[in-house]
Amino acid sequence: MNNTIKESDAKTKNHVNDLKGLNQLAQEGILGVVDVVDSVHQSVLNLGGTLSQSKQTNGLTGFIYRSIRATTRLSYRSINFALSRFTPLLPDVLLTKRRDHWVAVLNGIIGDHLAATDNPLALEMTLVYQNQEISIRQAAILWSNPNVKPLLLIHGLCLNAQSWQQKDHNHGQVLADSGHYLPIYLNYNSGLAIADNGRKLALLVSELDTLMEEQQKINVLAFSMGGLIVRSALQMAEKDNNLWPHRIEKLVFLGTPHQGALLEKTGHLMEYILKISPYSAPFVQLTQIRSQGIKDLRKGRIHDDGQSVQLPRHIKSYAIAGTAKDDKAPHKEMLGDGLVTVNSALGRHPKKSRHTGIPKKHQFTVFHVSHLGLLSSKEVYDHLEKIFID
C-alpha cells in the first residue's frame, strides 16, 4: 500500500481572514494584538528578513493595519466590510511555517477567547501527515496498512505539528525511518481548556477506531500539554464506557506536567514563548493574559471537575522528564527542565491517589536539557527507540 497522500494544489490564502480576526480582537479590547501581529506579519511577508518588534508592514497590508488602528469610530462590521473589499487586491500567499507558528502562539495565549468569539484565527483540531492536513478517514486508511505501526504525536502549548522539527531532528520522522512507524501529527488550539481538547480528541480517536482495521494498535508520543490532553481523553472514554482506549498500545509522556507546571510566573512563560521560534518574540507583550489552557497546564488539570485518575492498566505507559542540572546536583528531583519539575513529569505525587500509575521502570530522566530541548535531545530519542523499536 502506498503511504503517501496525493498532493493537491499548494494550500494558499490571502491575509483577509487573518486581518478580520485581528480586527475582531481590536474591537474586543485585546490590547496590543494588532501591533504584535503586524510585526509578525511583516516577518511572514519578508522571507529573508529578521523580526523586529518595531517593524511594521507597508504597502496595502500596512495601510489596512494602520486603518484598523486609526478608525476606532468605525464599527466591527464596517471594518470587516472594508477588508472584504480589499480581498481581490491582496495576493494569495503560500501558507508559511512562520505564519502557522505565530497563529499557534496566539492560540496558546488567547485561544479560548478566539474560539468563544468564532474568531477566524481560532485553530481547529486536525490531523497532519507529511505536512498536509488529512481527514480522519485518510488517517484510518494509512494506519490500516499491516506493514506500518501507527504513531500519533501530540504537541504542547503554543506549538503545532511543525514544532516537532527541532534542530534538524524530528522524533516522529526518525522513528518512522528506523522502525516502520507511520507518524501522524495532531494540531489543536492549545488555549482551550484541557478538558475541551480531551473531549475533541476522544471523539476523533473514537471515529478512527471505527474505521481502522481491527488488528492495528495506536502508539502515542505526547509532549508537555499533549500528555494531559491524552489523559483527559482516556478519562472521558472510561466515564462514557467507550472501547477505543483498547486500541492504544504504548503511550509515552515527554515533559508532561502531570502535577502542574511553573507557568504562574510571567517570566517562565515569556522565556518559553521566546524559545519557540524567532517569530514569536512580539508575543511576550501578551504574557499577562492567561488562556484556560495555560491555567489548566499550571495545575495539571485534565477534567472539568478537577479530579484525576490513573492510566488504564492495559496501556504500556512511559514518562520521560528533563532537568537542566546534572545528576550530582542537590535536590535534582525537584529542579526540572525550567517549566516542569522532574516529579511532575514522571507523574509522582506525595498522595498515592494522584499518582498516574506509570511503572517506575518506565520512568526516565534526561539531564542538561530544557523543556523544548526534549524535542531535539539525542538521549531522549535513545529512550524512545528502546521503547518503540527494541
Side-chain angles (χ1 to χ4, degrees):
M1 182 183 292
N2 189 352
N3 293 329
T4 59
I5 297 291
K6 285 186 178 180
E7 292 215 21
S8 55
D9 293 336
K11 197 173 180 183
T12 63
K13 66 173 288 182
N14 60 37
H15 303 297
V16 169
N17 278 341
D18 289 351
L19 295 171
K20 285 182 177 180
L22 294 173
N23 169 47
Q24 186 172 329
L25 289 174
Q27 293 290 326
E28 293 160 353
I30 307 297
L31 301 179
V33 168
V34 174
D35 287 333
V36 167
V37 185
D38 184 3
S39 176
V40 181
H41 199 158
Q42 174 62 25
S43 74
V44 172
L45 295 175
N46 184 0
L47 296 179
T50 57
L51 183 63
S52 166
Q53 291 194 35
S54 62
K55 185 181 290 186
Q56 295 178 348
T57 48
N58 49 29
L60 182 58
T61 304
F63 168 71
I64 295 173
Y65 277 115
R66 291 192 296 275
S67 298
I68 291 176
R69 292 188 186 89
T71 54
T72 54
R73 65 184 180 278
L74 292 178
S75 68
Y76 162 70
R77 289 182 179 179
S78 297
I79 294 177
N80 266 5
F81 176 75
L83 289 173
S84 297
R85 295 291 297 272
F86 283 121
T87 301
L89 304 177
L90 286 171
D92 283 348
V93 295
L94 192 66
L95 288 184
T96 66
K97 292 182 179 179
R98 299 176 182 184
R99 182 264 177 194
D100 291 344
H101 277 308
W102 70 252
V103 172
V105 174
L106 185 66
N107 273 258
I109 298 173
I110 57 171
D112 52 345
H113 178 82
L114 297 176
T117 57
D118 294 322
N119 192 295
L121 291 168
L123 293 173
E124 298 293 334
M125 184 171 284
T126 57
L127 295 171
V128 176
Y129 175 65
Q130 296 182 341
N131 295 318
Q132 298 182 63
E133 286 187 7
I134 61 173
S135 68
I136 296 175
R137 181 171 294 278
Q138 286 175 310
I141 292 172
L142 288 168
W143 277 350
S144 292
N145 182 346
N147 297 317
V148 304
K149 300 175 183 178
L151 177 64
L152 178 65
L153 294 96
I154 307 177
H155 65 73
L157 175 69
C158 293
L159 303 178
N160 60 19
Q162 299 165 359
S163 303
W164 285 94
Q165 184 74 28
Q166 297 283 330
K167 297 181 179 179
D168 298 321
H169 177 84
N170 181 321
H171 290 320
Q173 188 55 52
V174 181
L175 285 169
D177 296 339
S178 304
H180 303 293
Y181 280 90
L182 194 151
I184 293 179
Y185 301 82
L186 187 77
N187 258 350
Y188 65 94
N189 177 348
S190 61
L192 293 180
I194 286 173
D196 289 342
N197 274 321
R199 196 171 293 111
K200 291 174 182 286
L201 179 59
L203 291 172
L204 186 152
V205 181
S206 179
E207 186 173 348
L208 264 174
D209 180 53
T210 63
L211 296 171
M212 287 176 61
E213 293 294 330
E214 186 175 348
Q215 74 276 8
Q216 287 290 73
K217 297 288 186 180
I218 297 174
N219 301 278
V220 181
L221 174 57
F223 175 61
S224 195
M225 176 185 279
L228 297 182
I229 291 171
V230 174
R231 287 183 55 209
S232 178
L234 288 169
Q235 184 168 329
M236 290 177 187
E238 181 180 356
K239 182 180 178 181
D240 296 338
N241 294 317
N242 290 332
L243 298 178
W244 66 258
H246 292 282
R247 180 79 69 169
I248 308 299
E249 183 173 22
K250 294 179 180 178
L251 170 55
V252 179
F253 298 100
L254 180 58
T256 294
H258 296 286
Q259 313 301 347
L262 305 174
L263 286 173
E264 70 275 16
K265 295 182 179 179
T266 300
H268 289 298
L269 183 56
M270 288 174 60
E271 183 179 0
Y272 173 75
I273 290 174
L274 283 169
K275 287 181 178 178
I276 290 174
S277 161
Y279 313 109
S280 61
F283 287 94
V284 298
Q285 300 176 44
L286 303 179
T287 50
Q288 294 292 342
I289 303 173
R290 293 288 191 276
S291 66
Q292 188 59 50
I294 291 175
K295 294 175 183 176
D296 288 347
L297 189 70
R298 180 173 67 85
K299 297 179 180 180
R301 178 187 173 100
I302 65 172
H303 201 266
D304 293 329
D305 59 14
Q307 294 182 354
S308 177
V309 296
Q310 291 193 342
L311 292 161
R313 291 187 177 183
H314 77 275
I315 297 176
K316 298 175 184 176
S317 56
Y318 304 79
I320 302 175
T323 179
K325 301 296 183 180
D326 60 39
D327 56 354
K328 295 181 181 179
H331 308 296
K332 63 179 184 297
E333 68 274 14
M334 297 302 295
L335 293 174
D337 59 21
L339 279 183
V340 184
T341 66
V342 171
N343 277 337
S344 182
L346 298 180
R348 300 172 180 169
H349 195 275
K351 295 181 180 179
K352 284 189 175 182
S353 61
R354 293 196 60 181
H355 277 251
T356 56
I358 299 172
K360 194 169 184 178
K361 64 181 180 179
H362 290 176
Q363 300 176 16
F364 309 101
T365 302
V366 176
F367 300 96
H368 301 292
V369 66
S370 66
H371 191 63
L372 284 172
L374 292 167
L375 295 177
S376 58
S377 167
K378 182 182 182 303
E379 190 175 348
V380 167
Y381 178 75
D382 289 342
H383 285 300
L384 295 176
E385 188 174 50
K386 290 177 181 177
I387 292 168
F388 285 115
I389 297 176
D390 288 359

